[in-house]
Amino acid sequence: MGGVTYKYFGAPDGATAARVPISMRPEELGGDELGMNGMFTKIKPETMAAMVLTGIEGVPLHKVPPLELVVLHPDYAVVKLPMTVVDPLRGIGEEAVGAAAFIWSTVPDRGGPRDAFNVYQLLHEWQDFSHRLHEAGHQPYCLVWP
């Protein structure tokens, strides 16, 4: 499996988020189409959500809420992530990010990166993303290709 790329982006509401994929093709996505607020990664939105909620908020893995489906199309889907997976990152410092990465790297039976340093880097990207979302007043969404 070559791996799916997930495009995380911010939008003011579901209607706006739903229109995003119509205007572009995955292979044309360079980064600017959704403004500078986007983020590309191979990590599933469910994993990103669990990483923050389990690592930072201490939520048990089985209690992580499901993502909300905004659009399901044969070629793609758009999901909305709860604000609880970006908000906690805005108030924490280096030590908390490091601790969260370590916690996540020790959680059994989960998907995603196992190496604490990779998780740390990811959480940092996610933290930057959460700041950009907050400044724009946007909600987090993810564009998923099958």
Side-chain angles (χ1 to χ4, degrees):
M1 180 141 161
V4 178
T5 298
Y6 299 93
K7 169 74 183 180
Y8 292 88
F9 65 97
D13 52 56
T16 307
R19 286 195 300 271
V20 162
I22 300 163
S23 59
M24 59 195 182
R25 288 279 148 273
E27 60 276 7
E28 292 165 3
L29 276 176
D32 245 7
E33 292 81 358
L34 304 176
M36 289 310 292
N37 293 347
M39 180 177 116
F40 282 105
T41 176
K42 299 247 182 242
I43 308 297
K44 291 196 297 215
E46 297 85 338
T47 305
M48 290 303 307
M51 221 181 264
V52 171
L53 293 174
T54 304
I56 296 169
E57 299 287 274
V59 175
L61 212 47
H62 68 275
K63 290 225 169 118
V64 172
L67 305 175
E68 185 186 319
L69 186 64
V70 178
V71 177
L72 182 58
H73 183 275
D75 300 326
Y76 61 83
V78 175
V79 294
K80 180 181 184 197
L81 290 89
M83 288 307 280
T84 49
V85 306
V86 288
D87 281 349
L89 283 158
R90 288 205 320 276
I92 65 170
E94 252 339 272
E95 281 179 27
V97 173
F102 176 74
I103 290 166
W104 181 255
S105 72
T106 63
V107 173
D109 306 324
R110 70 186 189 320
R114 308 226 166 260
D115 179 83
F117 186 68
N118 290 349
V119 178
Y120 174 78
Q121 289 178 303
L122 248 174
L123 284 171
H124 258 295
E125 275 183 56
W126 196 243
Q127 193 171 35
D128 292 342
F129 178 60
S130 72
H131 281 290
R132 293 194 303 269
L133 282 179
H134 184 67
E135 283 156 22
H138 284 176
Q139 305 275 318
Y141 292 91
C142 184
L143 178 54
V144 180
W145 293 284

